[in-house]
Amino acid sequence: MMPRATHQTLRRLTYFAAIAEAGSIRGGAEKLGRSVPVLSAILAELEAELGVTLANRSTRVFTLTPAGKTVHAIARDILDTAETAFQFHQSRELTGRVKVTLPVELAVHWLPDRLQRFSAEFPKIVCDVDARDQLIDLAGTDIDLAIRAHHQRPDPARHEAPNLPLALVAASRPEIAPTGDGSMAIETALLGAPGGSKITAADTRSKRLVMLEFDRAIAVNSRETAIGLARKGLGTVLATRLAVEDDLERQTLIEICPDLAFGGLSLRASFRDARPTPAAKAFAADLLNPDDLNQDDPM
């Protein structure tokens, strides 16, 4: 009968991984808070159990053997799997309530899939959503987290994309003509664009900035209203691509200048408290990238 791994095997692999990653038995001992003789003995036990030499060690040199490198890779996979299982268990035990506020468009088109995923991962956390387009002072509310959206201008020199790319769309294709100064004029109304009746775009082929000018701009209360008016053929609108994907597929809206990049919406999360609750931190970390979190500057 072949020997079977035991809980002692897993313990020895844990210690061996610490030794291998520290590059010495002493370094592994410092990392784990144990003595050098203890780790040296555990390494010898693992070598005896596996029947191979895992490391060449002397008073000055410590290097892994080919077998040691293989066993370290296996040990790392085992420990990573165990850590994932532990975190999954911990996440399902996390309880509490989190209240989040965000713009209406994000609540309608961006949040639902993420909220469903979060609820499956954290079933004991109750989420309350306050969708509004107005800025509020978090300090005087019971809202734990605010997700803000800021217009990010296109930059041909940068390769990273904003969280939500923007598209210029309309119910019918407007007339576009060059003006002679490097910009282009669009002979139709623009509804609710950032910066008024001029929009900066990046030509994805030439990597140069292009200015789009509109004959007139109409201010509306929300981006959702602007999209609705664009569907009626009453103008064009700069909207998140996520909000109009279905319309573009059904061809009820037409993307204008698809070879231009109009920037996007960059999302940021701000906590009300300097020390947010575990539920609020879990919610923000699950929805956004770490760089999008603004934990040190609560609003």
Side-chain angles (χ1 to χ4, degrees):
M1 179 182 295
M2 294 186 61
R4 299 175 64 89
T6 67
H7 68 283
Q8 290 292 347
T9 307
L10 296 177
R11 172 174 171 269
R12 291 163 185 159
L13 287 173
T14 300
Y15 280 60
F16 173 62
I19 293 170
E21 288 157 16
S24 68
I25 295 177
R26 181 173 298 279
E30 293 175 353
K31 181 177 181 180
L32 296 174
R34 305 301 299 269
S35 67
V36 172
V38 167
L39 261 70
S40 181
I42 289 174
L43 177 57
E45 292 171 2
L46 183 60
E47 288 179 324
E49 181 179 6
L50 299 179
V52 295
T53 300
L54 299 175
N56 299 314
R57 47 201 184 272
S58 67
T59 56
R60 294 187 177 183
V61 178
F62 180 94
T63 58
L64 295 181
T65 64
K69 294 178 181 178
T70 300
V71 171
H72 175 238
I74 295 172
R76 190 68 268 164
D77 287 342
I78 293 172
L79 296 175
D80 288 345
T81 300
E83 180 66 20
T84 299
F86 178 77
Q87 291 178 354
F88 176 75
H89 171 74
Q90 291 293 96
S91 70
R92 297 189 70 83
E93 293 302 312
L94 193 60
T95 63
R97 178 182 294 270
V98 57
K99 188 170 185 179
V100 59
T101 183
L102 73 170
V104 174
E105 185 181 13
L106 295 182
V108 173
H109 299 287
W110 177 79
L111 182 63
D113 290 344
R114 290 161 176 81
L115 189 58
Q116 183 178 13
R117 181 191 67 202
F118 178 81
S119 297
E121 185 175 354
F122 300 91
K124 296 183 180 180
I125 296 181
V126 179
C127 302
D128 297 326
V129 178
D130 182 342
R132 63 173 79 183
D133 290 326
Q134 297 80 19
L135 286 176
I136 59 174
D137 181 9
L138 289 181
T141 72
D142 62 346
I143 295 173
D144 300 291
L145 178 72
I147 298 178
R148 310 297 194 197
H150 305 280
H151 178 232
Q152 182 174 323
R153 290 166 58 91
D155 184 351
R158 300 179 63 181
H159 299 289
E160 63 269 21
N163 299 68
L164 299 176
L166 296 177
L168 188 64
V169 296
S172 60
R173 194 176 301 279
E175 294 294 328
I176 304 176
T179 61
D181 60 356
S183 63
M184 293 184 288
I186 298 182
E187 296 178 358
T188 187
L190 178 71
L191 305 168
S197 59
K198 295 183 179 180
I199 295 179
T200 301
D203 191 317
T204 56
R205 294 170 300 184
S206 66
K207 307 299 182 183
R208 300 171 69 177
L209 291 177
V210 175
M211 180 70 71
L212 297 180
E213 298 183 6
F214 292 80
D215 61 346
R216 58 194 175 98
I218 301 174
V220 293
N221 292 332
S222 70
R223 196 184 299 264
E224 287 297 306
T225 302
I227 294 173
L229 292 173
R231 290 193 185 105
K232 296 295 184 181
L234 299 178
T236 64
V237 61
L238 195 62
T240 61
R241 186 178 298 275
L242 184 65
V244 292
E245 281 182 347
D246 291 340
D247 297 281
L248 292 174
E249 290 181 2
R250 294 194 305 267
Q251 296 185 336
T252 54
L253 282 174
I254 296 175
E255 185 174 4
I256 302 171
C257 302
D259 56 336
L260 297 182
F262 296 95
L265 295 183
S266 181
L267 305 185
R268 292 281 291 175
S270 295
F271 294 108
R272 180 193 62 205
D273 299 320
R275 294 184 177 180
T277 65
K281 289 195 292 186
F283 188 90
D286 193 67
L287 265 67
L288 296 169
N289 296 322
D291 292 342
D292 299 322
L293 303 183
N294 190 14
Q295 301 186 46
D296 298 328
D297 185 24
M299 298 182 66

